[in-house]
Amino acid sequence: MTIHLPDAGGTLRAYEPRTEPFAAAAGTPFTSRTVFSAAHVVADPFADVSPDSPAAVDWDATLAFRRHLWSHGLGVAEAMDTAQRGMGLDWAGAAELIRRSAAEARSVGGRIACGVGTDQITGGSLAGIRAAYEEQLAVVEESGAQAILMASRALAATARGPEDYLGVYGHLLRQAAEPVVLHWLGPMFDPALEGYWGSSDLDAATQVFLDVIAAHPDKVDGVKISLLDARREVDLRRRLPRGVRCYTGDDFNYPELIAGDEQGFSHALLGIFDPLGPLAAEAVRLLDTGDTAGFRALLDPTVELSRHLFQAPTRFYKTGVVLLAWLAGHQSHFTMVGGLQSARSLPHLARAYELADRLGLFPDSELAEERMRTLLALHGVNR
């Protein structure tokens, strides 16, 4: 069957969907890399809410998707940017998500790490920011999950220089019960984080980031870098203290960063591994056997899709991620908390469908085609 997809110029072009999905078996965690998928949340489509209401989450479907990721050996990075933190999911919803997902992880033996931020406040004093971080850290630690210290919009707005970041993060690391992951999210993902670590000069900011780690290396399991700059990540990776891991968050350059070079490699904590889960897991298992060429051959073709989903404005990548979850049959609808399903154009979504289909990401290609036709019809495309 031919499906007609709209392009950015307003014309329709014929596309022949793939019929054979990518086949990947379930498996155990990996031996060569630690790999987390930042997972999306599934909205409750029947909730009578508006875009600025507290998130209404379909908990059964949300947890089922996490079981899908765990079944392939992936860890779950919970309540992160991909779960729409600060873009539809507030702290109350995130806290519930953390508790439920951590309990589910325990029941199935899945690995989980959870985001700790300050999104219950919008600003205030440094003391108030520390208290907000502490409240969230307590929820994550009480759930039994590993903590990921996320970048804070409130701290970015309040800090007057590097010393404020050193003080806040030093305080949190001293009291953390277990080693944490430090998360540096660039302004392409969240414009409110411009100038994080006390400077818009990335060289200066990197030095402050490294100073935080150097002061407490025993409390830092690793760092998650989301700057979409492979050269900068490699440079930072080589400067980390021994034993501190680098988790790539670079959704543009992840194959080369995970594969690494003679001086090291990056682990992974990626939003793109939400739709790529089974394929990404299969690729990392090749890496476990030492087959770097096979790993690259499998994962390199996915970069075109990832760069498309994460194109500017990058923060709206979640819309494409949820579209692909719906097309793949992981949820029954294309509705998002905060109404974010409207954040990308129809041509963008059509291209996401095409690129994902070419990779064989849809277990049931006929279901994916049927659902894509429904979406097209809703927008007036009836061919």
Side-chain angles (χ1 to χ4, degrees):
M1 295 291 290
T2 299
I3 185 170
H4 289 85
L5 303 175
D7 61 25
T11 60
L12 296 176
R13 52 188 174 77
Y15 174 69
E16 296 288 341
R18 174 173 170 164
T19 57
E20 292 297 324
F22 174 82
T28 56
F30 318 110
T31 59
S32 64
R33 304 290 189 273
T34 300
V35 181
F36 289 98
S37 167
H40 74 281
V41 293
V42 182
D44 178 355
F46 302 116
D48 185 12
V49 294
S50 64
D52 56 358
S53 300
V57 177
D58 180 336
W59 295 113
D60 289 342
T62 293
L63 295 177
F65 187 75
R66 280 132 184 85
R67 291 193 297 272
H68 155 71
L69 294 173
W70 284 319
S71 74
H72 288 280
L74 296 158
V76 168
E78 188 57 276
M80 302 292 291
D81 188 54
T82 307
Q84 296 181 241
R85 285 291 289 271
M87 291 185 69
L89 187 71
D90 61 12
W91 166 236
E96 182 71 8
L97 178 63
I98 289 166
R99 293 186 181 103
R100 287 176 179 259
S101 291
E104 194 73 16
R106 288 194 301 273
S107 73
V108 301
R111 183 164 187 166
I112 189 168
C114 300
V116 171
T118 63
D119 45 330
Q120 69 272 54
I121 62 173
T122 57
S125 65
L126 293 176
I129 292 167
R130 288 195 300 269
Y133 264 129
E134 289 170 344
E135 177 188 355
Q136 297 200 14
L137 180 61
V139 169
V140 171
E141 290 186 338
E142 287 166 5
S143 76
Q146 184 178 18
I148 303 171
L149 293 187
M150 302 170 67
S152 162
R153 290 176 179 173
L155 183 55
T158 302
R160 293 295 173 260
E163 64 283 352
D164 289 339
Y165 289 91
L166 290 166
V168 169
Y169 278 89
H171 174 85
L172 293 168
L173 290 172
R174 283 190 294 272
Q175 71 178 60
E178 301 290 341
V180 307
V181 175
L182 296 181
H183 186 191
W184 184 0
L185 192 68
M188 68 288 294
F189 288 92
D190 188 343
L193 300 177
E194 178 67 43
Y196 212 73
W197 306 112
S199 178
S200 293
D201 181 310
L202 288 179
D203 290 335
T206 297
Q207 187 56 57
V208 176
F209 187 51
L210 288 167
D211 288 345
V212 169
I213 300 163
H216 308 276
D218 59 321
K219 288 298 187 74
V220 180
D221 164 72
V223 297
K224 198 262 192 183
I225 311 299
S226 298
L227 298 176
L228 304 183
D229 184 333
R231 181 201 58 80
R232 185 169 294 279
E233 179 175 320
V234 171
D235 176 68
L236 189 150
R237 184 174 76 196
R238 292 173 179 171
R239 298 169 65 188
L240 291 173
R242 184 179 296 277
V244 176
R245 310 181 198 200
C246 181
Y247 293 91
T248 188
D250 188 333
D251 299 279
F252 282 6
N253 305 292
Y254 51 93
E256 66 188 81
L257 291 165
I258 297 169
D261 55 30
E262 67 282 355
Q263 297 186 50
F265 56 81
S266 294
H267 300 271
L269 198 166
L270 288 160
I272 191 57
F273 280 7
D274 178 303
L276 291 184
L279 190 154
E282 192 72 14
V284 176
R285 288 200 171 83
L286 291 173
L287 204 54
D288 286 348
T289 69
D291 185 0
T292 302
F295 166 82
R296 293 296 299 268
L298 195 53
L299 208 56
D300 281 0
T302 69
V303 172
E304 185 178 8
L305 170 64
S306 189
R307 287 181 176 241
H308 177 74
L309 295 182
F310 285 78
Q311 69 181 220
T314 303
R315 63 189 181 277
F316 296 126
Y317 75 88
K318 299 92 164 172
T319 302
V321 166
V322 174
L323 170 81
L324 297 184
W326 173 54
L327 296 178
H330 294 298
Q331 55 191 78
S332 62
H333 58 85
F334 180 40
T335 305
M336 298 175 67
V337 299
L340 210 63
Q341 67 272 11
S342 65
R344 290 294 201 188
S345 69
L346 183 63
H348 178 93
L349 299 176
R351 181 62 173 163
Y353 160 74
E354 179 182 354
L355 293 172
D357 181 72
R358 286 180 179 176
L359 294 168
L361 295 186
F362 303 131
D364 184 337
S365 61
E366 291 185 0
L367 174 66
E369 180 186 343
E370 177 188 345
R371 288 183 169 184
M372 192 65 211
R373 288 185 185 278
T374 298
L375 182 64
L376 291 168
L378 287 172
H379 287 79
V381 179
N382 295 301
R383 290 181 61 185

